[in-house]
Amino acid sequence: MTLLRILCLHGYRQNENMFREKTGSLRKVLKKHVAEFVYIDAPHILPVQDNIAEDDTNASASNRTNERGWWFSAADLTYDPLATTSCDRGFDESLEYVIKYINEQEVPFDGLLAFSQGAAFAVLLLARLSTMKYPFRFVILVASFRSGQEQHQSIYNNLQIDLPNLHVIGINDRVIPCFMSETLANECFKNAEILRHDGGHFVPTSSEAKLSYIQFLDRFL
């Protein structure tokens, strides 16, 4: 049995190290299924600010100076997932960067795991790749949502991502309201599978969540 290799995309105001720490419990839960979680940094470093990272109240000083994002929704290099704007500064660079990274892999990825802004970015990435064979066998999106940037809206028109997909949605998520994740899953994916949990803006690893992950991943081993 060949274990899985998964590319991991962090949320806004996070970086690869922070997301690795935040998914430590998940990696333990899936150690019999996943050989390697590959974490990468978004290419854009954020200005140092006083507000905290997504679901991160204990960010270290080193991490706080290396917070990153996949794109910005305003010219002042900030991002608001609930805002509708015409600014998507840095988005094209991130798209090119991730596609290049995927194409350079000697061992292909089996899956894609993405959180919050990283999950919203993952949907747009998959939309770009939908005209060719997907470089993944499955995708797991946690707290995903539809981008509010005006230039992205046409991408969602008739979008039906035909890739096995699991959407993890926190009923009490105060950063990304659960209806945003539900709408994206049901409108943009074929045969969407949804894992709902009672928590907020994080990757759950309860016994119920563990069972859902394992049942989803078993088919790819």
Side-chain angles (χ1 to χ4, degrees), residues 25-26 28-31 33 140 166-168 193-197 203-221:
S25 296
L26 180 69
K28 292 178 181 178
V29 163
L30 299 179
K31 63 183 179 181
H33 289 73
I140 300 174
L166 177 64
H167 303 262
V168 184
E193 298 181 42
I194 297 178
L195 164 60
R196 299 176 183 85
H197 64 96
V203 182
T205 54
S206 64
S207 56
E208 180 183 359
K210 175 181 177 181
L211 180 61
S212 294
Y213 297 138
I214 290 174
Q215 289 177 339
F216 179 76
L217 293 176
D218 273 346
R219 73 190 76 169
F220 305 106
L221 294 177

Side-chain angles (χ1 to χ4, degrees), residues 136-151:
F136 307 104
R137 297 164 61 201
F138 62 87
V139 59
I140 300 174
L141 301 177
V142 183
S144 189
F145 57 95
R146 178 170 172 156
S147 165
Q149 280 51 75
E150 294 173 359
Q151 51 268 64

Side-chain angles (χ1 to χ4, degrees), residues 31-218:
K31 63 183 179 181
K32 294 183 179 179
H33 289 73
V34 181
E36 186 179 13
F37 289 88
V38 179
Y39 297 83
I40 63 172
D41 277 331
H44 308 296
I45 299 177
L46 278 58
V48 177
Q49 297 183 9
D50 291 333
N51 50 329
I52 60 174
E54 287 182 345
D55 188 41
D56 189 76
T57 56
N58 297 301
S60 68
S62 59
N63 279 333
R64 290 293 301 277
T65 58
N66 190 35
E67 294 174 343
R68 292 172 176 262
W70 299 100
W71 78 92
F72 303 103
S73 62
D76 62 355
L77 303 185
T78 59
Y79 181 76
D80 182 352
L82 306 182
T84 299
T85 74
S86 60
C87 176
D88 70 343
R89 184 169 176 176
F91 175 79
D92 289 337
E93 292 85 348
S94 291
L95 203 60
E96 293 173 7
Y97 163 70
V98 175
I99 291 174
K100 182 175 184 290
Y101 185 84
I102 293 169
N103 291 336
E104 289 175 345
Q105 299 300 302
E106 294 183 6
V107 178
F109 291 111
D110 294 292
L112 176 63
L113 166 68
F115 175 70
S116 200
Q117 192 199 41
F121 175 80
V123 175
L124 297 169
L125 170 68
L126 292 172
R128 169 67 70 88
L129 299 173
S130 63
T131 57
M132 59 191 78
K133 182 179 179 181
Y134 290 115
F136 307 104
R137 297 164 61 201
F138 62 87
V139 59
I140 300 174
L141 301 177
V142 183
S144 189
F145 57 95
R146 178 170 172 156
S147 165
Q149 280 51 75
E150 294 173 359
Q151 51 268 64
H152 298 169
Q153 299 315 301
S154 62
I155 299 173
Y156 297 105
N157 292 340
N158 302 313
L159 178 62
Q160 284 287 285
I161 296 174
D162 191 9
L163 188 71
N165 55 95
L166 177 64
H167 303 262
V168 184
I169 301 174
I171 302 301
N172 294 302
D173 193 329
R174 296 183 180 180
V175 179
I176 305 299
C178 60
F179 77 88
M180 294 178 66
S181 300
E182 297 261 4
T183 299
L184 177 78
N186 292 322
E187 291 185 354
C188 297
F189 286 82
K190 290 186 177 180
N191 304 313
E193 298 181 42
I194 297 178
L195 164 60
R196 299 176 183 85
H197 64 96
D198 293 332
H201 198 62
F202 59 85
V203 182
T205 54
S206 64
S207 56
E208 180 183 359
K210 175 181 177 181
L211 180 61
S212 294
Y213 297 138
I214 290 174
Q215 289 177 339
F216 179 76
L217 293 176
D218 273 346

